[in-house]
Amino acid sequence: MVKLRLISELSGHEDRVWQASWDCTGNRLATCSGDKSARIWAPIASERFFKAQQHSKENISDGSSNESMDVDQTSASTWQCLDIIDNAHKRTVRSIAFEPTSSKAVATASFDGTTAIWEKEDDAYECVATLEGHENEAKCVAWSPSGQLLATCGRDKSVWIWESNGEGDFDCISVLMEHTQDVKMVLWHPINDMLVSFSYDDTMRVWKEDDDDWYSAATLTGHKSTVWGGAFSPDGKYLASVSDDRTIRVWTQSNDDGSRASGADKGFYYKPDANFKCIAVVPDTVHSRAIYSVSWAGAPAGAPATDLGYLATGCGDNSLRVLKVTAAAGEDTGVTVELVCEHKDAHGLSDINCVRWNPVHFGWLATCGDDSTVRIWNLDLSQD
Amino acid sequence: MNITQKINDAPLVYEVVSKARDIQQSDFDDAVSDPVDSEEVYELIRNINDPEHPLTLEQLHVTNKEHVFVDDSANRVLIEFTPTIPHCSMAALIGLCIRVRLLRSLPERFKVDIKVREGTHQSEEHVNKQLNDKERVAAALENTYLLDVINQCLATAV
């Protein structure tokens, strides 16, 4: 039986925590909150913390009881808050992302419409650039895998692409206005320079570039309500999306040439050359309220080739869930997604806003909730 | 608010039928837990003021006791409200006032859904979607001007 054990609880934020981002080493975590600040956290002794995968067996919890969680006795002191960034944004900080190659820089996007880039000078984080342009709340910021491009999106229905000019500052290279409503999240493909945006208009859009011109390469329809976010599998072959309609959809790029030109796809920057098809849907009976976040962890070392990893979801019904993705036997692109662990009241009686698997240390998960805390979990796959 | 032309100049005003809750012996017993019920939630919202007229939502039949659904054990509340006219542009604001009122008065454990009563508004899906999108609500409540308007409507809801 797969279990999720609560290992640490990070308190400090004074309002709901919206998002978390692991750095490139997997040893630091950045979080942002409605209290207008961002915080950087790390375990006091990273090597020991992440290697101790088997915490004492007495601390087993199957996740179904509300009251005590198996918090390791000493865990209250094993994480510390390294930095607090609280002097730039005048409103909620909605999104935060560590630069993926060296994690020297961290970006924050705020309801005040701006995106700020921070770097640590001496002892504190300094704001090295402020990116303005969104007409109202900015909702997400994401770095491309090379660290050269940044994407932001917001309630003004637009997706902005920025390029690093080498001196710590960013130039806006594209403003994409194809969504018909609020854009909730932007996500880069882990390998190629391809961007996906998720929107209140119930669709997702895939963006590619052709000679520095960014265009909409596909519109993914299927969700019946706001698409809150998504995650690529670490090899970039699959995309999972989650929505207010309480379902998870898994997509992959298909090779068939049938292009779908429907009215919804027309747009100024639209060239339908990317074909995505939905290959699996987790029905709305699994999650009982809107799903706000999903993260995809690759399979652990030594797993069979059909093991495509684990999805973690954060939901408005207070539960944290883990689903196993397996390649369907005999089919080229089919997958099955199966619920393997459900941890109720993961953040007490509060919504879970964000879930993020550690990109380096397998099985470690960070979650953020409306209860103003950040929690660190460990996935226990051992069968006992 | 600079409204020179009211959205609904002459709304229908209804009489308020006030029925006091019967006091029971168990009300005085601390050991008996009183679940939150629809009456209690209705008490919280009935006296919210309409943004345009010096009248409560109850007097305008915008909120009705029959359209408040509470499940205490499942921590769910559903409020259906009825705008006075189908093209009322205040519908989202009224819904937001109800949401803020409950956010400030109900225990945090409750998940609250607020919807326009089906068939009573021409943009009901549009309004419902906004009212139940927690990110949109959170951003709206950071707008001090909007918060002032909401607080004015809630001033009567004591």
Side-chain angles (χ1 to χ4, degrees):
Chain A
M1 232 209 78
V2 173
K3 294 184 280 293
L4 264 178
R5 302 162 190 266
L6 175 65
I7 306 300
S8 305
E9 182 178 312
L10 280 45
S11 327
H13 276 301
E14 290 159 14
D15 200 312
R16 57 165 42 123
V17 188
W18 280 109
Q19 202 171 74
S21 167
W22 291 98
D23 77 345
C24 61
T25 65
N27 292 332
R28 284 182 301 164
L29 186 71
T31 60
C32 60
S33 165
D35 65 9
K36 309 186 185 102
S37 80
R39 285 176 180 245
I40 314 287
W41 314 79
I44 290 176
S46 311
E47 288 116 51
R48 273 196 297 127
F49 182 84
F50 288 111
K51 283 198 169 52
Q53 299 228 6
Q54 298 296 85
H55 284 252
S56 54
K57 289 298 179 188
E58 300 90 78
N59 283 344
I60 287 174
S61 157
D62 63 6
S64 58
S65 79
N66 274 355
E67 355 138 339
S68 77
M69 298 157 290
D70 47 321
V71 179
D72 193 281
Q73 290 307 311
T74 58
S75 73
S77 56
T78 55
W79 277 74
Q80 59 180 335
C81 178
L82 299 175
D83 299 279
I84 302 178
I85 301 173
D86 59 1
N87 50 340
H89 291 297
K90 301 175 180 42
R91 291 182 56 181
T92 286
V93 186
R94 176 63 181 87
S95 178
I96 190 162
F98 262 115
E99 190 274 333
T101 57
S102 64
S103 293
K104 254 193 69 193
V106 69
T108 53
S110 164
F111 280 176
D112 66 12
T114 68
T115 299
I117 313 293
W118 308 83
E119 280 182 20
K120 197 158 184 179
E121 308 281 332
D122 301 321
D123 267 332
Y125 272 90
E126 303 277 319
C127 180
V128 300
T130 303
L131 280 43
E132 293 174 345
H134 280 291
E135 279 170 31
N136 42 48
E137 297 93 57
K139 303 233 165 144
C140 190
V141 61
W143 298 83
S144 67
S146 62
Q148 291 303 304
L149 299 172
L150 204 58
T152 60
C153 65
R155 181 163 66 89
D156 60 4
K157 312 179 188 121
S158 64
V159 172
W160 290 55
I161 306 208
W162 310 77
E163 186 167 31
S164 168
N165 65 5
E167 291 143 29
D169 212 338
F170 286 77
D171 298 320
C172 174
I173 58 171
S174 199
V175 177
L176 303 160
M177 309 227 32
E178 303 288 331
H179 277 294
T180 54
Q181 290 277 6
D182 195 354
V183 186
K184 297 295 198 185
M185 187 201 188
V186 279
L187 174 75
W188 290 94
H189 188 275
I191 300 156
N192 309 323
D193 271 351
M194 181 168 83
L195 183 70
V196 184
S197 56
F198 305 81
S199 170
Y200 182 99
D201 67 11
D202 308 350
T203 71
M204 295 147 63
R205 288 229 179 212
V206 178
W207 310 90
K208 288 163 77 167
E209 73 142 348
D210 177 18
D211 209 19
D212 277 346
D213 280 324
W214 285 85
Y215 63 95
S216 169
T219 304
L220 277 48
T221 53
H223 277 298
K224 300 190 174 42
S225 188
T226 299
V227 194
W228 279 103
F232 272 104
S233 58
D235 59 7
K237 281 178 64 183
Y238 302 97
L239 173 66
S241 61
V242 290
S243 165
D244 181 63
D245 68 6
R246 312 193 306 276
T247 66
I248 306 175
R249 283 178 175 254
V250 181
W251 312 77
T252 192
Q253 270 189 281
S254 68
N255 292 322
D256 59 334
D257 283 311
S259 59
R260 287 154 250 284
S262 74
D265 297 342
K266 298 276 179 289
F268 187 65
Y269 291 103
Y270 181 64
K271 252 182 3 189
D273 61 7
N275 243 329
F276 276 80
K277 99 180 153 167
C278 180
I279 54 173
V281 180
V282 173
D284 60 7
T285 46
V286 177
H287 296 77
S288 46
R289 285 185 75 83
I291 311 173
Y292 293 115
S293 179
V294 63
S295 183
W296 198 320
T306 51
D307 188 342
L308 299 178
Y310 297 88
L311 292 175
T313 59
C315 185
D317 65 5
N318 313 341
S319 298
L320 179 56
R321 291 178 179 83
V322 178
L323 301 100
K324 186 166 196 299
V325 189
T326 325
E331 275 175 57
D332 238 345
T333 52
V335 297
T336 54
V337 184
E338 182 206 335
L339 180 70
V340 294
C341 177
E342 180 176 290
H343 198 299
K344 293 200 203 308
D345 298 340
H347 274 262
L349 297 168
S350 302
D351 290 359
I352 301 168
N353 296 319
C354 184
V355 294
R356 289 284 181 265
W357 289 109
N358 189 303
V360 174
H361 308 289
F362 174 78
W364 290 91
L365 183 69
T367 61
C368 312
D370 271 358
D371 64 347
S372 313
T373 70
V374 180
R375 293 187 181 194
I376 311 293
W377 308 78
N378 184 240
L379 184 69
D380 182 353
L381 297 177
S382 61
Q383 312 289 326
D384 47 41
Chain B
M1 212 163 172
N2 288 342
I3 326 166
T4 45
Q5 173 81 50
K6 290 200 205 275
I7 303 297
N8 186 357
D9 263 326
L12 282 174
V13 183
Y14 298 84
E15 263 211 47
V16 170
V17 177
S18 234
K19 202 179 72 151
R21 188 204 275 270
D22 296 323
I23 310 273
Q24 290 170 327
Q25 201 51 41
S26 61
D27 286 352
F28 298 100
D29 185 352
D30 274 345
V32 173
S33 75
D34 284 322
V36 174
D37 62 5
S38 54
E39 264 203 55
E40 189 174 341
V41 174
Y42 187 61
E43 273 305 308
L44 292 171
I45 62 175
R46 66 200 295 195
N47 290 324
I48 296 175
N49 229 56
D50 179 81
E52 281 193 311
H53 303 277
L55 295 162
T56 67
L57 296 186
E58 178 177 35
Q59 287 174 306
L60 294 167
H61 272 201
V62 171
T63 54
N64 293 288
K65 187 147 62 149
E66 299 78 49
H67 302 152
V68 173
F69 308 98
V70 178
D71 183 345
D72 182 275
S73 54
N75 299 321
R76 300 276 172 100
V77 170
L78 169 63
I79 313 265
E80 289 179 352
F81 70 98
T82 312
T84 55
I85 41 173
H87 52 277
C88 177
S89 58
M90 300 274 158
L93 176 59
I94 291 173
L96 201 54
C97 287
I98 295 173
R99 193 173 271 295
V100 173
R101 175 71 175 143
L102 295 180
L103 210 65
R104 291 176 182 168
S105 337
L106 281 183
E108 266 182 54
R109 61 186 168 94
F110 280 100
K111 307 284 184 194
V112 179
D113 291 316
I114 300 178
K115 298 204 157 118
V116 172
R117 188 116 179 108
E118 209 176 319
T120 63
H121 196 273
Q122 66 186 19
S123 315
E124 59 188 67
E125 277 183 33
H126 177 70
V127 173
N128 289 345
K129 200 169 180 184
Q130 278 184 72
L131 287 177
N132 294 296
D133 179 318
K134 78 172 193 190
E135 189 182 47
R136 291 282 279 250
V137 171
L141 298 182
E142 285 188 345
N143 177 332
T144 47
Y145 167 73
L146 188 55
L147 216 46
D148 276 343
V149 174
I150 294 173
N151 284 332
Q152 268 181 43
C153 295
L154 296 187
T156 48
V158 214

